[in-house]
């Protein structure tokens, strides 16, 4: 459902001439699709995905304690205590030891729920090509790097100004990437629930090819056979 809602948002933005904005959401849809297939293939990761919630709650409470103490004071004390207890329960799952050159060790904290970063999860789930095609440019646009700035300009721009919507820029790229991601989502959901999707994956791939013509289909890493 998260991927489906994101796809609707992409279509809405593209339809209103905001392809760069659509590319920002493409990143979310693709990451959702990768996470789905990753957890299906490595089910022991599911609990880590869930338990990361308490790390995020801990960070929020720490922020409120420093910057919004009045808002934190309005929270029920038993809720605050429960949040702290759950964080203490799960925190060690997201810490690991690193050996220094001198042989001593230090403790590192994970930045996300999974020890594998997103590119590694993409490789392990058959998303490597789709990730490599869509994610770098989506990240540039999302994070506002110099590449993102240039991607907001038309190819003929020489005055340093970004384009104002509406335009067709990035429309095709956003739709192709989100379409490929959603085919993978449907396949993962079918395998996870042990049902055959209707229409079939083959039909969805035919639709993809009919829509995009000579554009290459998403790399069928997890579409070719069940793993």
């Amino acid at each position: 459902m998260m991927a489906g809602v994101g796809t609707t948002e992409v279509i809405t933005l593209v339809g209103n001439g905001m392809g760069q904005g659509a590319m920002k959401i493409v990143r979310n849809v693709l990451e959702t699709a990768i996470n789905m297939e990753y957890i299906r293939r490595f089910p022991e990761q599911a609990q880590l995905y869930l338990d990361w919630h308490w790390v995020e709650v801990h960070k929020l409470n720490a922020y409120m304690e420093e910057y919004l103490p009045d808002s934190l004071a309005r929270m029920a004390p038993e809720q605050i205590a429960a949040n702290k207890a759950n964080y203490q329960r799960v925190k060690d799952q997201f810490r690991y030891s690193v050996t220094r050159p001198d042989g001593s060790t230090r403790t590192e904290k994970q930045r996300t729920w999974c020890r594998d970063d997103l590119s590694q999860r993409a490789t392990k789930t058959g998303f490597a090509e789709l990730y490599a095609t869509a994610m770098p440019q989506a990240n540039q646009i999302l994070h506002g790097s110099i590449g993102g700035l240039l991607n907001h300009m038309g190819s003929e721009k020489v005055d340093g100004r970004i384009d104002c919507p509406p335009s067709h820029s990035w429309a095709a790229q956003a739709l192709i990437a989100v379409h490929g991601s959603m085919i993978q989502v449907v396949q993962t959901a079918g395998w996870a629930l042990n049902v055959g999707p209707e229409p079939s994956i083959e039909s969805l791939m035919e639709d993809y090819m009919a829509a995009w013509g000579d554009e290459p289909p998403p790399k069928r890493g997890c579409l070719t056979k069940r793993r």
Side-chain angles (χ1 to χ4, degrees):
M1 286 300 298
M2 283 177 58
V5 170
T7 298
T8 301
E9 292 170 339
V10 168
I11 293 169
T12 301
L13 287 167
V14 166
N16 285 276
M18 299 179 180
Q20 289 94 342
M23 285 296 292
K24 298 172 187 177
I25 299 174
V26 163
R27 188 198 188 288
N28 173 262
V29 175
L30 179 54
E31 183 165 356
T32 299
I34 291 170
N35 286 340
M36 283 181 62
E37 179 63 12
Y38 186 86
I39 291 173
R40 188 194 70 80
R41 293 195 187 196
F42 307 101
E44 71 279 2
Q45 296 288 324
Q47 192 60 51
L48 294 174
Y49 179 86
L50 296 173
D51 285 343
W52 183 254
H53 167 70
W54 298 113
V55 179
E56 293 180 336
V57 169
H58 174 74
K59 292 178 179 179
L60 175 60
N61 286 350
Y63 169 83
M64 294 176 69
E65 186 175 347
E66 183 171 358
Y67 297 105
L68 299 170
D70 293 340
S71 297
L72 186 63
R74 290 194 290 270
M75 291 180 61
E78 56 270 22
Q79 182 61 61
I80 296 175
N83 291 346
K84 290 181 178 179
N86 278 303
Y87 171 70
Q88 292 299 323
R89 175 176 59 85
V90 307
K91 68 177 184 179
D92 288 341
Q93 299 177 97
F94 304 106
R95 298 181 178 185
Y96 57 96
S97 295
V98 176
T99 302
R100 296 187 178 99
D102 63 3
S104 62
T105 61
R106 70 176 189 275
T107 299
E108 291 284 347
K109 296 180 181 179
Q110 287 182 210
R111 299 179 63 183
T112 65
W113 64 275
C114 186
R115 190 76 60 84
D116 288 334
D117 64 29
L118 187 59
S119 65
Q120 292 170 320
R121 300 200 296 274
T123 298
K124 291 182 178 182
T125 53
F127 281 84
E129 184 171 347
L130 189 56
Y131 176 93
T133 300
M135 194 63 73
Q137 292 169 323
N139 280 338
Q140 288 175 356
I141 294 172
L142 176 65
H143 296 302
S145 67
I146 183 61
L149 177 64
L150 294 173
N151 284 332
H152 274 83
M153 298 179 183
S155 59
E156 304 85 11
K157 286 284 185 178
V158 293
D159 60 359
R161 296 176 183 269
I162 67 171
D163 288 336
C164 292
S167 77
H168 294 302
S169 297
W170 294 96
Q173 293 93 328
L175 291 175
I176 291 168
V178 81
H179 195 167
S181 297
M182 282 304 301
I183 293 175
Q184 301 277 9
V185 165
V186 171
Q187 178 69 93
T188 295
W191 281 338
L193 300 173
N194 200 29
V195 296
E198 180 60 42
S200 68
I201 291 296
E202 291 73 20
S203 294
L204 296 179
M205 289 298 297
E206 289 174 2
D207 289 344
Y208 182 98
M209 296 304 298
W212 305 117
D214 294 333
E215 294 292 339
K219 197 68 175 179
R220 296 186 293 275
C222 68
L223 297 178
T224 52
K225 60 182 179 179
R226 185 168 185 164
R227 297 183 181 180

